[in-house]
Amino acid sequence: MDCIFCKKIEEKKECLFENELAFAFFDGFPVNKGHTLIIPKRHVKTFFDLTKEEVAAMKELADKVKEYLDKEYHPDGYNVGLNCGEAAGQTVMHCHMHIIPRYVGDIENPRGGVRNIIKGISLY
Ligand code: 5GP
Ligand code: ZN
């Protein structure tokens, strides 16, 4: 299958952490310092296709990634998110969790966090 994330797992390329079911690596086009992706080793499209075991494996890596990023970059907070489907902005069709460190002052007004994504269509 022609999937850039499956290829990374196969080649163990840029691996930051891995366990039996999941794999973590730095985003190639980071939106902030330390932006990391966590993926299941099995090729599925979205979060909703994951088994409970895969969710647990990704959470285990998320905790390791946080510990690592806290030590390396000292962020003040995190945005954690998954884009599920083209309409939601997903561009790589292998499920991935974004771990995005946030720093006080990195944008003028961070209020709302991931909710800002849908500002344009917000009902309120
Ligand atoms: P999406 O928009 O699908 O939620 O996120 C895809 C993510 O994959 C983006 O943040 C993008 O920067 C990242 N990405 C795309 N191609 C590569 C690559 O070849 N290597 C790495 N490390 N990240 C990639
Ligand atoms: Zn894949």
Side-chain angles (χ1 to χ4, degrees):
M1 190 197 302
D2 202 18
C3 168
I4 56 171
F5 287 178
C6 281
K7 209 168 280 173
K8 263 187 219 303
I9 296 164
E10 262 173 48
E11 298 171 359
K12 290 192 181 286
K13 223 170 146 185
E14 299 160 22
C15 179
L16 191 55
F17 295 106
E18 70 175 321
N19 56 25
E20 194 190 342
L21 298 177
F23 189 90
F25 55 99
F26 284 123
D27 196 290
F29 307 89
V31 298
N32 223 350
K33 209 166 51 178
H35 182 176
T36 300
L37 299 176
I38 298 173
I39 61 178
K41 289 188 173 173
R42 187 170 66 99
H43 181 98
V44 293
K45 184 174 173 184
T46 82
F47 174 74
F48 300 105
D49 301 312
L50 296 171
T51 64
K52 285 188 176 65
E53 291 76 16
E54 286 166 333
V55 172
M58 289 171 70
K59 164 70 171 142
E60 184 182 283
L61 292 195
D63 290 343
K64 283 192 177 168
V65 164
K66 180 189 181 296
E67 198 183 317
Y68 174 81
L69 295 176
D70 280 348
K71 214 158 46 190
E72 288 295 312
Y73 299 113
H74 308 286
D76 302 296
Y78 286 90
N79 291 118
V80 176
L82 297 106
N83 296 329
C84 300
E86 290 88 337
Q90 186 173 0
T91 59
V92 177
M93 297 305 149
H94 183 132
C95 173
H96 50 280
M97 178 189 285
H98 293 265
I99 307 280
I100 303 175
R102 296 298 305 271
Y103 305 89
V104 169
D106 61 4
I107 63 168
E108 202 175 313
N109 179 13
R111 189 181 161 84
V114 295
R115 280 193 283 124
N116 290 331
I117 294 162
I118 56 168
K119 217 177 200 166
I121 60 165
S122 174
L123 297 174
Y124 304 101

